[in-house]
């Protein structure tokens, strides 16, 4: 693989880790909230978690495309 490709994969891997950490923190915060009293905040957190999941899928898909293009 090209050095540039390896660097891109490394950067995406680091970004993936940041997204996963963000998702874990969001899930922990959501789990601490009262389901009735904090319903709106839980809804907002769920939206952000959904967006983070979509971003993570796109990052992983891009990483896979990059690797496959080098094979």
């Amino acid at each position: 693989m090209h050095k540039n490709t390896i660097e891109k994969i490394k950067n995406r891997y680091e970004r993936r880790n940041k997204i996963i950490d963000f998702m874990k923190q969001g899930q922990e915060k959501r789990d601490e909230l009262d389901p009735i009293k904090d319903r709106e905040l839980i809804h907002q957190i769920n939206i952000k978690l959904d967006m983070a999941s979509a971003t993570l899928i796109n990052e992983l898909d891009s990483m896979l495309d990059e690797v496959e293009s080098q094979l």
Side-chain angles (χ1 to χ4, degrees):
M1 263 191 262
H2 300 296
K3 184 177 180 182
N4 189 30
T5 301
I6 293 171
E7 188 65 29
K8 284 182 185 178
I9 291 170
K10 180 183 172 201
N11 291 339
R12 286 191 178 128
Y13 185 78
E14 290 172 1
R15 178 148 167 78
R16 178 199 73 119
N17 287 340
K18 288 179 184 177
I19 294 168
I20 290 171
D21 289 343
F22 172 82
M23 292 174 70
K24 286 179 183 177
Q25 291 172 356
Q27 290 167 343
E28 288 171 2
K29 180 165 177 75
R30 180 189 62 194
D31 292 345
E32 294 171 358
L33 297 172
D34 182 279
I36 296 170
K37 188 176 100 179
D38 300 316
R39 186 176 188 154
E40 182 59 34
L41 184 56
I42 291 171
H43 178 70
Q44 291 173 5
I45 291 172
N46 285 337
I47 290 171
K48 290 179 182 179
L49 288 172
D50 287 345
M51 291 181 346
S53 294
T55 302
L56 181 61
I57 290 168
N58 288 335
E59 287 290 324
L60 293 173
D61 192 42
S62 294
M63 191 184 325
L64 182 60
D65 288 345
E66 189 71 36
V67 170
E68 287 176 340
S69 72
Q70 298 299 318
L71 297 178

